[in-house]
Structure formats: structure tokens, C-alpha cells
Amino acid sequence: MDLTLDEQRLVAEYRRLTPAGRDELLACAATLVRQTNAEKDGGTATDQCRLKSTEPHPEAEKTPFFTE
């Protein structure tokens, strides 16, 4: 596999990291991937709101209704 000079530098820097540093870097990368996927999927549940129903539903009310 041929790597560019920048890719070779990244690999060398990664190999120099301590195990704790590698874990931190991978955690940051995972967070970025999740954010990117959430943006592609249309957002996360935290940035969405439930729309109020404009149509009344008498069958969902607790008071009984009568028809004759």
C-alpha cells in the first residue's frame, strides 16, 4: 500500500502516542464520526421537537361522548 507523505507522518505520530493518548484520539474520532452520521441522517433526537396535532381526536379524550 502506497502512502502519501502526510499519511506516513500521521502513522508515525500515532505510533509515538501512549496507550492513553491513542484511546483519547480514537474517542475523539468516534465522536466526529457520530456527529457526521447524525448530520447525514437528519439530526439527532435532541434537536427535534414534537409537533402538536392540529386535528382534534375525540376518541383520545378521557370524557365520554355520545351519539344519537
Side-chain angles (χ1 to χ4, degrees), residues 5-66:
L5 187 58
D6 289 336
E7 292 169 337
Q8 291 175 6
R9 287 181 188 155
L10 286 173
V11 170
E13 288 295 323
Y14 181 78
R15 288 179 179 164
R16 285 188 212 137
L17 289 174
T18 62
R22 288 181 184 182
D23 291 342
E24 184 180 351
L25 179 64
L26 292 175
C28 290
T31 302
L32 288 174
V33 168
R34 274 187 242 116
Q35 288 175 352
T36 304
N37 288 341
E39 290 172 2
K40 287 180 184 177
D41 294 340
T44 60
T46 58
D47 65 356
Q48 297 177 359
C49 65
R50 186 173 183 173
L51 298 176
K52 293 183 180 178
S53 176
T54 57
E55 184 179 323
H57 297 284
E59 65 275 4
E61 295 177 7
K62 291 185 179 184
T63 58
F65 62 97
F66 299 97

